[in-house]
Amino acid sequence: MPLTSPRPESWIKTTSAGLYCEPGDFHIDPLLPVPRAVITHGHGDHARPGSAQVLATPGTIAIMQQRYGEAAGGSLQPLAYGETAAEGDVMVRLVPAGHVLGSAQIVLEYHGSRVVVSGDYKRRPDPTCEPFEPCNCDVLITEATFGLPVFRHPPDSQEIDKLLHSLALFPERCHLVGVYALGKCQRVLALLRRAGYEEPVYLHGALIGLTELYESLGVPLGPVLPLTGVTRDALKGRIVLAPPGATADRWSRRLPDPLIAMASGWMRVRQRAKARGVELPLVISDHADWDELTATIDEVAAEEIWVTHGREEALVHYATQKGYRARALALTGFEEDE
Ligand SMILES: [Zn+2]
Ligand SMILES: [Zn+2]
């Protein structure tokens, strides 16, 4: 960063509505409706309805429109990956974050200083979205959902094999997999197809809209069917995807001898799987694990690391020990589960 550049904390501030870029006069992933918002991705704790102007990738805008309709925002401005928009004196660029379809890191340049807001991200390949692109910067504002050394996610192919193996072992049981509606559902479908599973997969009603949206945006997911009108017997030996909440409640009783699975980075924690009644935990995460977080910090050559959204302390400690200036940002309103 040139010596004349303003200190990053003088132009990027934490406010009650979230991260605020003062010279550009916009918030990033605001908690409340604001006049101008730049959104990293479509998950509900990042993309909230009601802002007057919204800047995001075309994918994120499509997701917000699907979820919120008219309330997605007063005016919606799509910005493709790699393109630049001028907001006041600040140049804004969106770069793939590898988290879910449309997810972006926000690259901000102001008087020679560059700040990257990672949003949620992962480094592993995901057939349903563009891969994370590391971006050199002066300040990296990184998420830390799995910011502890115990979190090391296994290869996703290994977890999908577990599911297919269980299906072969228990051909009479319906395999009910808990997945988040945006991202995880579609990634599990794509991974099943990649593993050679060609049977139709049954979807809980809450998952159908976004799955159709992914298909319409060019992500092939193979045959999927709604559960309406399907007999109990027809679901023996089938895979059913449902939101995590539905796996534990009355809804699942209509399924034949359901074997409860869940696809989440949190399945690494055995007590969590147990508490949710999960028989088959699948550690499939859309967030960077510890190795991905630390590798990213080392790769982008930032002088400063600001950590938010999860377990900040361990990552701040890591970065400090490596000689970076690091601090935890006290931002609220983000959920550890999407
Ligand atoms: Zn997210
Ligand atoms: Zn998040």
Side-chain angles (χ1 to χ4, degrees):
M1 176 164 50
L3 280 174
T4 50
S5 294
R7 303 274 335 132
E9 55 270 29
S10 74
W11 61 279
I12 303 224
K13 300 188 167 168
T14 53
T15 70
S16 55
L19 216 51
Y20 177 63
C21 174
E22 202 167 72
D25 189 24
F26 57 85
H27 286 81
I28 294 168
D29 293 352
L31 289 167
L32 312 164
V34 295
R36 304 170 75 219
V38 179
I39 305 291
T40 59
H41 68 285
H43 279 142
D45 55 334
H46 294 260
R48 295 173 196 262
S51 286
Q53 287 178 40
V54 171
L55 180 79
T57 64
T60 296
I61 285 179
I63 290 163
M64 290 178 73
Q65 284 175 314
Q66 161 110 13
R67 293 192 136 173
Y68 303 134
E70 292 280 294
S75 84
L76 305 172
Q77 183 190 347
L79 186 67
Y81 289 133
E83 282 177 12
T84 302
E87 302 288 331
D89 284 344
V90 179
M91 301 301 276
V92 180
R93 195 155 52 92
L94 303 179
V95 170
H99 176 58
V100 297
L101 190 144
S103 65
Q105 307 170 69
I106 298 172
V107 182
L108 305 170
E109 307 218 27
Y110 177 60
H111 292 314
S113 140
R114 185 189 287 168
V115 174
V116 169
V117 182
S118 75
D120 293 346
Y121 69 98
K122 70 175 175 294
R123 303 297 304 266
R124 293 155 194 252
D126 175 342
T128 67
C129 64
E130 297 282 316
F132 181 95
E133 228 172 79
C135 205
N136 283 17
C137 53
D138 300 300
V139 178
L140 172 68
I141 304 182
T142 179
E143 67 132 319
T145 304
F146 290 108
L148 284 177
V150 294
F151 289 113
R152 291 199 158 90
H153 307 322
D156 51 21
S157 57
Q158 180 184 313
E159 302 302 285
I160 289 295
D161 284 351
K162 276 189 206 165
L163 175 59
L164 293 175
H165 182 70
S166 174
L167 205 59
L169 217 52
F170 303 107
E172 295 291 298
R173 297 187 72 182
C174 172
H175 283 59
L176 173 59
V177 186
V179 290
Y180 303 116
L182 170 58
K184 195 63 61 66
C185 169
Q186 297 77 23
R187 183 170 168 214
V188 166
L189 285 169
L191 292 174
L192 282 167
R193 303 316 181 195
R194 180 177 278 190
Y197 186 78
E198 287 166 6
E199 299 296 318
V201 174
Y202 292 84
L203 297 185
H204 182 284
L207 305 179
I208 290 171
L210 284 165
T211 300
E212 285 176 348
L213 181 67
Y214 266 59
E215 285 266 4
S216 76
L217 294 173
V219 182
L221 299 171
V224 293
L225 292 171
L227 283 162
T228 37
V230 180
T231 64
R232 206 178 154 89
D233 266 0
L235 294 171
K236 285 183 176 172
R238 296 295 186 174
I239 297 175
V240 174
L241 303 184
T247 60
D249 72 15
R250 286 183 55 129
W251 180 87
S252 65
R253 287 188 217 155
R254 60 148 102 179
L255 305 173
D257 191 15
L259 189 152
I260 310 292
M262 171 100 69
S264 162
W266 296 110
M267 291 297 102
R268 178 79 177 67
V269 184
R270 199 160 290 171
Q271 304 91 294
R272 286 221 190 195
K274 234 178 169 174
R276 301 194 84 150
V278 174
E279 202 173 327
L280 180 65
L282 304 172
V283 186
I284 299 177
S285 174
D286 284 331
H287 293 273
D289 69 2
W290 176 256
D291 291 333
E292 294 168 65
L293 292 169
T294 55
T296 303
I297 286 177
D298 290 333
E299 194 171 348
V300 299
E303 286 160 27
E304 278 188 49
I305 311 291
W306 298 358
V307 185
T308 178
H309 199 332
R311 282 150 184 73
E312 288 100 356
E313 304 77 16
L315 205 55
V316 166
H317 181 73
Y318 168 88
T320 307
Q321 280 204 320
K322 296 274 286 194
Y324 304 103
R325 288 181 9 139
R327 65 180 178 116
L329 283 190
L331 290 174
T332 55
F334 294 104
E335 292 150 24
E336 58 177 29
D337 277 353
E338 305 287 3

